[in-house]
Amino acid sequence: MEKLGFYDQVYQVVRLIPSGRVTSYGAIASYLGAKGSARMVGYAMNAAHSAFPQVPAQRVVNRNGLLTGKFHFNSENLMKQLLENEGVKVENDAILDFKNKFWDPAIELDLNI
């Protein structure tokens, strides 16, 4: 079986985030064995618009629950709108109740990508 590239591994994890939940760039990096590579996950998310199947990039935020990737969506408010459509409350570009909405792949997933 062919080993997936880093971006594809990131996309596989992001596709597993349940609707209404969010995770962080760093949590994905750590899960993939690349702790300290949160920025690389961010680069992958910036390129996610061309991935197929679609990647729910709105579900990835920074470690404080901030929508730092919002400028990479077609409109400045699209990330917030997509999250709110999933029941995630956002105020001032921050996830409300971030602790309870946070989905940690290291805890939630027992598979190894």
Side-chain angles (χ1 to χ4, degrees):
M1 185 171 162
E2 180 183 329
K3 175 102 170 103
L4 292 175
F6 186 75
Y7 282 21
D8 289 322
Q9 290 179 50
V10 169
Y11 301 156
Q12 278 196 341
V13 173
V14 175
R15 289 181 185 116
L16 296 172
I17 304 168
S19 178
R21 303 287 299 279
V22 295
T23 196
S24 67
Y25 303 101
I28 293 170
S30 182
Y31 175 74
L32 293 175
K35 190 171 175 79
S37 296
R39 187 163 294 186
M40 286 300 297
V41 173
Y43 294 150
M45 297 314 302
N46 292 346
H49 58 84
S50 62
F52 184 84
Q54 186 174 356
V55 177
Q58 74 274 11
R59 297 179 189 156
V60 184
V61 297
N62 83 356
R63 64 190 169 107
N64 298 312
L66 298 175
L67 278 59
T68 52
K70 73 178 190 172
F71 298 108
H72 298 282
F73 285 77
N74 287 337
S75 73
E76 192 175 321
N77 290 319
L78 182 57
M79 185 177 187
K80 176 183 177 185
Q81 291 169 343
L82 291 169
L83 285 166
E84 289 180 339
N85 290 347
E86 296 180 0
V88 177
K89 292 184 178 19
V90 179
E91 190 173 288
N92 297 323
D93 292 332
I95 304 293
L96 297 180
D97 199 21
F98 180 56
K99 185 177 178 184
N100 289 319
K101 293 293 183 182
F102 188 75
W103 181 87
D104 186 344
I107 294 169
E108 305 287 346
L109 301 177
D110 59 359
L111 57 113
N112 193 357
I113 292 178

